[in-house]
Amino acid sequence: MIPDGWSEHFLGDVCKISSGVGFPLKFQGRKDLPIPFIKVSDMNSEGNEKYVCSANNTIDSQIQEYVKAPIFPKGCLILPKVGAALLTNKRRILAQPTAVDNNVMVLMSKSVNYEFLYYWSLLIDMADYVQSGALPSINKSTISQIQITLPPEKEQKKIATILSSVDDAIQATQAVIDQTRRVKQGLLQQLLTRGIGHTQFKQTDIGVISETWELTTLGKIANKNSLQTGPFGSQLHASEYIESGIPVVMPKDLFDGRILDDNIACVPEDIADRLMKHRLQAGDILFARRGDIGRCSLVRDSEVGWICGTGCLRARVNDKISPEFLIQFLQWPKTVKWLNENAVGQTMLNLNTQILANLPILVPPKHEQINITNIFESINDELDKLISEKSTLLSIKHGLMQDLLTGRIRVGDST
């Protein structure tokens, strides 16, 4: 049922739908020319989360004429039109007159507020409109036939303003998160080389460290036979996963030294019992075995009994080093760099237990490990708070989009 005062249209009636042009390699790579030339990859650039404000390629009027690239005005909505990127449902607004390549679709508004169009488009799953074939794609005729229900122009603007204000709050919160992470990285560099209040230092294979610190390897501080891989495919089949049961930790679940339990895979208790040697204890350290090398997490009390999943490696250290200190050390960029440089593999990097055994580890005196850990735990607590605030704002935005863009809640003149 259409809300009072709203009207139904085909998208092609309220927007001019176009695509870009091929972008010859010989013209790519310039960033000093006046006209941005956007490719799908530019949608992933920092600062381009809503408005496309920067481009990795630029052209001038001569190149534009040569490649016959139309210049689309500020306010146009763009989205991927082919390949896996199409299914990510990215939407962006052009922040200035721009050219785009032939993998990008452009919606130029004829009679709809461009920000309202942007938010409305976020409710559309392009997977519902892809053409059949080996490579996902959409075309102009299909997109033109999508129905859009529009409120009066004033209400469009008010809805866009409300949603934009939430986006501004999300962006501001993310900026604080990013800054807090930069502070943490700076402290990691300082505290993991200079310690707290030290004046005497020594040169080691990994650089200058405090005179009282020891340089060892993970293999020397790990409990005997505790460096293990998770179960291989022959031990744990994809068909055995269920929605609720004993969680199985995968590389995707390792983030910022903690295990993310959103959308985590699970297995029944009887299968978990079969994998007893892979069940986790508090203080275990998990590493991503392949792919995004450097991801690692500390197993906490609430995660005891979970399973070290396929694609992960586990280490269990002795009492010479605090696991809470070790997880901070493992997030140090120098440590992550070492892991990536020593990983093996051609198409995808891999770690194994021998590589982990050789990983250099700094071991301060126990009291200093505690002091350094406390500093980072306070920063992590602040990050958790900020991430929770961002998550709440995203939930608010999602709810508002569902209500405002469908007319379930109306934005009147007095609102």
Side-chain angles (χ1 to χ4, degrees), residues 9-18 72 75-79 105-118 120-121 140 143-148 150 156:
H9 305 269
F10 289 113
L11 192 57
D13 293 334
V14 297
C15 293
K16 179 181 178 182
I17 301 173
S18 306
F72 296 101
C76 285
L77 181 72
I78 64 171
L79 61 150
M105 181 167 281
V106 182
L107 277 62
M108 187 187 312
S109 172
K110 297 177 184 176
S111 57
V112 57
N113 178 275
Y114 69 90
E115 285 210 341
F116 179 92
L117 179 65
Y118 165 77
W120 170 86
S121 73
K140 177 180 175 179
I143 298 302
S144 296
Q145 295 302 306
I146 297 176
Q147 287 193 320
I148 179 171
L150 293 175
Q156 290 180 38

Side-chain angles (χ1 to χ4, degrees), residues 57 84 94 107 122 129 141 143 160 179 183 224 241 247 278 347 404:
N57 298 280
L94 297 182
L107 277 62
L122 296 178
Y129 300 94
S141 60
I143 298 302
Q179 177 60 27
V183 169
K224 186 177 180 181
Y241 292 120
H278 298 292
T347 58
L404 297 177

Side-chain angles (χ1 to χ4, degrees), residues 23-42:
F23 192 19
L25 188 60
K26 64 182 179 180
F27 295 127
Q28 297 184 32
R30 294 286 299 272
K31 294 189 177 185
D32 58 340
L33 299 177
I35 305 171
F37 198 111
I38 296 300
K39 304 176 73 172
V40 171
S41 58
D42 290 298

Side-chain angles (χ1 to χ4, degrees), residues 315-377:
R316 190 172 288 161
V317 294
N318 59 36
D319 59 6
K320 188 172 187 176
I321 192 166
S322 157
E324 290 78 13
F325 170 81
L326 179 58
I327 197 64
Q328 307 303 329
F329 176 83
L330 294 173
Q331 294 174 80
W332 187 23
K334 184 175 284 191
T335 306
V336 175
K337 181 181 178 183
W338 188 97
L339 289 169
N340 277 274
E341 289 177 345
N342 287 272
V344 295
Q346 297 294 325
T347 58
M348 180 180 288
L349 292 178
N350 284 265
L351 292 176
N352 56 45
T353 55
Q354 186 56 54
I355 293 171
L356 280 187
N358 293 327
L359 174 65
I361 302 291
L362 290 176
V363 183
K366 211 56 179 294
H367 73 277
E368 197 166 359
Q369 292 181 38
I370 294 171
N371 291 338
I372 291 173
T373 298
N374 287 340
I375 292 171
F376 288 119
E377 284 296 334

Side-chain angles (χ1 to χ4, degrees), residues 380-399:
N380 289 335
D381 289 345
E382 181 62 23
L383 277 172
D384 287 344
K385 178 183 174 183
L386 290 165
I387 291 169
S388 177
E389 289 175 4
K390 181 184 174 183
S391 179
T392 299
L393 288 168
L394 287 169
S395 295
I396 291 170
K397 176 184 173 180
H398 179 75

Side-chain angles (χ1 to χ4, degrees), residues 6 15 30 52 81 83 136 201 213 223 228 288 318 388:
W6 289 42
C15 293
R30 294 286 299 272
V52 179
K81 60 173 285 192
F201 305 94
W213 289 20
N223 290 330
Q228 293 184 353
N318 59 36
S388 177

